[in-house]
Amino acid sequence: MSVTEKFDGVAVTTKANVYFDGKCVSHSIVLADGTRKSVGVILPASLTFNTGAPEIMEGVGGNCRVRLKGESAWKTYGAGESFAVPGNSAFDIEVADEPYHYVCHFG
Amino acid sequence: MSVTEKFDGVAVTTKANVYFDGKCVSHSIVLADGTRKSVGVILPASLTFNTGAPEIMEGVGGNCRVRLKGESAWKTYGAGESFAVPGNSAFDIEVADEPYHYVCHFG
């Protein structure tokens, strides 16, 4: 499992996106080809995220447990692993002990 | 006071720097000319940071109160304002209510 350690040649927005009182913090980036992503971290917490656009969450550090909306099973994802979330949906995520670092790919 | 809203053509490290149990989260960037900076956010908290290299902290959102090591006075800095911290020194920073977003310039 390879881990995306960095993105080159991107535009980064200096102001962070702060969700859930800071339990999730991300910075938005735009790749040279115009693709938008975010790089972020979720601190130990149990959170529910709603999606607008479909998302692929790629782990780059730590791990998490995830339950997609409408499913009963939790699955664990670590660095180098990804999970896909449909648009206009939601997912529960639990992070314990160590922060979970991710890249969020949209669309 | 102008605010640096983004950096273009940078390399961004996907894994965040997490300090003080997540009260401070930053992502490291490298500009095209090799200059290293970080873009980060400090959540409401009272923290003490130690410096290795000298730093210039540029506010890009929210505000903070700062007291440099060896000084007795606190000063308030907001978006578009910067403060310089010597190398091998320290500063106390207090953030209330809203997160303080910054760019950290080194050296």
Side-chain angles (χ1 to χ4, degrees):
Chain A
M1 301 179 296
S2 68
V3 173
T4 304
E5 294 185 355
K6 65 173 182 163
F7 288 101
D8 287 311
V10 306
V12 60
T13 302
T14 58
K15 198 170 172 181
N17 311 299
V18 178
Y19 306 102
F20 299 106
D21 290 329
K23 290 297 183 185
C24 177
V25 170
S26 74
H27 279 88
S28 301
I29 62 174
V30 183
L31 276 59
D33 68 1
T35 305
R36 293 177 180 275
K37 301 182 188 294
S38 68
V39 291
V41 62
I42 300 175
L43 303 173
S46 294
L47 306 172
T48 300
F49 286 88
N50 297 300
T51 60
E55 296 179 3
I56 293 174
M57 290 281 285
E58 175 193 354
V60 295
N63 60 67
C64 63
R65 294 176 70 229
V66 173
R67 183 176 59 184
L68 298 180
K69 184 177 180 180
E71 298 193 358
S72 56
W74 290 84
K75 292 183 183 173
T76 297
Y77 299 96
E81 298 178 320
S82 296
F83 60 93
V85 187
N88 299 310
S89 186
F91 63 100
D92 300 317
I93 185 166
E94 289 187 354
V95 175
D97 304 321
E98 295 299 320
Y100 171 69
H101 300 257
Y102 67 86
V103 177
C104 182
H105 309 264
F106 298 105
Chain B
M1 301 180 297
S2 69
V3 172
T4 305
E5 294 185 354
K6 65 172 182 163
F7 288 100
D8 288 311
V10 305
V12 61
T13 302
T14 57
K15 197 169 174 182
N17 311 301
V18 178
Y19 306 102
F20 300 106
D21 290 330
K23 290 298 184 184
C24 177
V25 170
S26 73
H27 279 88
S28 301
I29 62 174
V30 182
L31 276 59
D33 68 2
T35 306
R36 294 177 180 276
K37 300 181 189 295
S38 67
V39 291
V41 62
I42 299 175
L43 303 173
S46 294
L47 306 172
T48 300
F49 285 88
N50 297 301
T51 60
E55 296 179 3
I56 294 173
M57 291 282 285
E58 176 192 353
V60 295
N63 60 68
C64 63
R65 295 175 69 230
V66 173
R67 181 176 60 183
L68 298 179
K69 184 177 180 179
E71 298 193 358
S72 56
W74 291 83
K75 292 183 184 174
T76 298
Y77 299 96
E81 298 178 322
S82 297
F83 60 94
V85 187
N88 300 310
S89 186
F91 63 101
D92 300 318
I93 185 166
E94 289 187 356
V95 175
D97 304 322
E98 295 299 320
Y100 171 69
H101 300 257
Y102 67 87
V103 177
C104 181
H105 308 264
F106 298 105

